[in-house]
Amino acid sequence: MLSSTQLVTPRLILRQWRPSDLEPFAAMNADSEVMRYYPAPWPREQSDAFAQRVKQLVNERGWGFWAVEERTSGHFIGFVGLHTPSPELPFSPCVEVGWRLAKPYWGLGYATEAAQSAIAFGFQQLHLIELVSFTAVANQKSRAVMERLGMRLDSEFDHPQVAVESGLRRHVLYRLRRPL
């Protein structure tokens, strides 16, 4: 860890967002395969607004959904980090660990590596007792990452921000408690 707003792993840097991240982030969010477990791919305006919002949160708190950069290439590959999700979720208040990576970076262990660093930050620096993660029931790849992180399936719930008629409304909740 270089500072409270930057984490370094063997292959990645979790850092504050830069203007140069917006273009690859928008391309990632427009990819229907990346956004398969979201209601729809995001238009550029929504992608930019999300990036600005999470950048502001990192500025204010010193942590959040960091931009992730591959150390050797310097390429932006997505985001990973900690976030306080919507208070309308049935398990709020909480802090979640979350991620979204561009498709070329799937299957390389990057999500797990970066999330492990974010989890360590949450437990060691923020003194959190527990972290959660959640996704659509069918999202087996993210669920596998959650399990590799040592998270345990807690329950299922209907996500209040997903349309009732959507096949993505049903979600799973995973939890990880800080080691004693």
Side-chain angles (χ1 to χ4, degrees), residues 51-148:
Q52 292 303 322
R53 191 167 54 254
V54 295
K55 177 181 179 179
Q56 180 181 346
L57 288 170
V58 171
N59 276 339
E60 290 170 6
R61 300 183 300 202
W63 57 273
F65 281 149
W66 290 283
V68 179
E69 171 183 315
E70 205 178 32
R71 286 180 70 176
T72 55
S73 69
H75 293 150
F76 170 88
I77 69 167
F79 73 81
V80 176
L82 305 174
H83 184 70
T84 305
S86 170
E88 65 186 292
L89 292 172
F91 45 86
S92 286
C94 60
V95 176
E96 72 169 302
V97 57
W99 51 86
R100 184 180 313 154
L101 300 181
K103 191 168 183 277
Y105 304 99
W106 291 3
L108 302 173
Y110 285 164
T112 302
E113 181 177 325
Q116 286 170 331
S117 183
I119 287 167
F121 180 87
F123 288 154
Q124 295 166 11
Q125 304 299 316
L126 302 179
H127 308 288
L128 298 172
I129 295 169
E130 178 182 68
L131 288 164
V132 302
S133 195
F134 53 93
T135 189
V137 170
N139 189 348
Q140 293 300 321
K141 289 183 181 189
S142 280
R143 292 178 70 171
V145 172
M146 293 170 196
E147 290 169 8
R148 280 193 295 277

Side-chain angles (χ1 to χ4, degrees), residues 34-53:
V34 171
M35 300 300 282
R36 179 178 177 187
Y37 298 106
Y38 291 84
W42 289 358
R44 177 66 188 254
E45 301 75 30
Q46 185 176 3
S47 179
D48 287 354
F50 179 89
Q52 292 303 322
R53 191 167 54 254

